[in-house]
Every structure is written in structure tokens, then in C-alpha cells.
């Protein structure tokens, strides 16, 4: 476990850049945290760190974005999904264990459907400050 404090969106993005730079094809990153804690900002940094230079936006409404890259990146969001069946319908299972890098926002809603060995990153409000977040990584 490792914890850092981010004091701006830019710091969260940069944390993601460093983190993404260490990811390997096949890695799954499970982002947990309430609405507005910075999961999408972090995902943007992670994608940049992986080397993807296109736009990265919240997949809340479409559930999943695909970004073409050497190892394709799948960016999913479980926020609006209600049942395990809906999550299973997304087809994430077929991506796990492939060459793809998968980033899942709101992963805490369905922890049982995330693969063993995935990398958990939790974002929380910190110190009652509008721009501070505590980021905890599981490994
Ligand atoms: N330290 C911080 N890290 C990340 N986002 C921050 C931070 N401080 C303020 N913000 C703001 O919080 C919001 C986070 O939004 P977003 O990444 O979409 O959250 P989520 O995907 O968790 O719902 C953005 O408007 C961002 O500018
Ligand atoms: Mg989001």
C-alpha cells in the first residue's frame, strides 16, 4: 500500500502519467472513489503515461471507450450499471488476460467482477479541501 496526497487536478494527472508508464499489456486498473474525486482525471494521466495521445473522456454514459494503441486501452465506467448481469454484458471478462490494458472507474461497485491481481487505486476527498485528494494504491 502506498498513499499520496494530490493538491490539484494536475498533480493527479501527473501521478497517473507515472503510474501508466509502468503498466504492462494485460494489466487491469480498478479505480474506486466517489463522484468527482478524480477517477477520470487519473485515467487521463494513465493513458498519457501509457503513450496514448488522443482524447480521454468519461465513459459514464457509453460505459466503455476503446483507445487504439500498441496495447489497446479499454476505459470503462460502472457508475450507471445496476446489476452484475449488466456488467457481465459489457464483456470486460473477454478483455481480462488479453494484451489490452483495462481501466475501470467505479470498480468498487462490483469488486467481485474485477479479476484477481488487478491494481486497485482508491481516490478520496482529503482535508475538506476542494482540490485535495488522497490516492491509495494497493501495490
Ligand atoms: N486533486 C485533484 N485531483 C483530481 N481532480 C481534482 C482535484 N482537485 C480538483 N479536482 C476536480 O475534481 C473533478 C474530478 O472529476 P472527475 O475526474 O471527472 O471525477 P470522477 O471521474 O471521479 O467522477 C474535476 O473537475 C477536477 O478538476
Ligand atoms: Mg469519471
Amino acid at each position: 500500500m502506498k498513499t499520496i496526497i494530490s493538491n490539484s487536478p494536475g498533480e493527479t494527472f501527473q501521478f497517473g502519467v507515472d503510474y501508466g508508464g509502468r503498466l504492462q499489456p494485460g494489466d487491469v486498473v480498478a479505480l474506486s472513489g466517489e463522484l468527482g474525486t478524480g477517477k477520470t482525471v487519473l485515467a487521463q494521466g494513465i493513458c498519457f503515461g501509457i503513450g496514448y495521445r488522443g482524447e480521454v473522456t468519461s465513459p459514464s454514459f457509453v460505459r466503455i471507450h476503446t483507445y487504439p494503441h500498441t496495447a489497446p486501452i479499454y476505459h470503462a465506467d460502472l457508475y450507471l450499471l445496476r446489476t452484475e448481469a449488466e456488467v457481465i454484458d459489457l464483456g470486460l471478462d473477454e478483455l481480462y488476460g488479453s494484451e489490452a490494458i483495462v481501466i475501470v472507474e467505479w470498480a468498487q461497485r462490483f469488486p467481485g467482477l474485477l479479476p484477481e491481481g488487478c491494481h486497485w487505486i482508491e481516490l478520496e476527498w482529503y482535508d475538506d479541501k476542494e482540490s485535495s485528494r488522497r490516492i491509495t494504491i494497493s501495490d
Side-chain angles (χ1 to χ4, degrees):
M1 285 251 286
K2 183 181 152 198
T3 297
I4 68 133
I5 302 302
S6 161
N7 289 303
S8 69
E11 284 184 24
T12 298
F13 182 90
Q14 187 55 49
F15 173 80
V17 173
D18 297 341
Y19 192 89
R22 293 192 299 270
L23 289 174
Q24 304 291 328
D27 280 343
V28 179
V29 183
L31 304 182
S32 74
E34 295 303 312
L35 192 67
T37 48
K39 298 179 296 301
T40 297
V41 171
L42 183 57
Q44 289 165 339
I46 291 172
C47 289
F48 194 92
I50 291 168
Y52 179 66
R53 290 294 175 269
E55 203 182 359
V56 173
T57 55
S58 172
S60 295
F61 293 102
V62 294
R63 324 294 197 229
I64 188 157
H65 285 156
T66 307
Y67 310 127
H69 191 63
T70 329
I73 304 168
Y74 293 89
H75 178 196
D77 191 319
L78 309 185
Y79 182 48
L80 295 173
L81 300 182
R82 310 226 165 275
T83 63
E84 292 208 338
E86 286 180 350
V87 180
I88 290 162
D89 273 354
L90 267 188
L92 291 175
D93 253 8
E94 289 152 38
L95 304 176
Y96 302 151
S98 75
E99 286 289 285
I101 292 176
V102 186
I103 303 167
V104 184
E105 296 194 34
W106 285 97
Q108 79 272 21
R109 297 203 55 199
F110 298 96
L113 295 181
L114 273 294
E116 236 173 85
C118 73
H119 307 286
W120 283 89
I121 306 182
E122 184 178 14
L123 295 100
E124 299 166 284
W125 306 100
Y126 180 69
D127 208 19
D128 275 338
K129 291 198 193 109
E130 176 65 35
S131 294
S132 291
R133 306 287 188 274
R134 179 166 54 213
I135 303 175
T136 306
I137 57 177
S138 63
D139 52 4

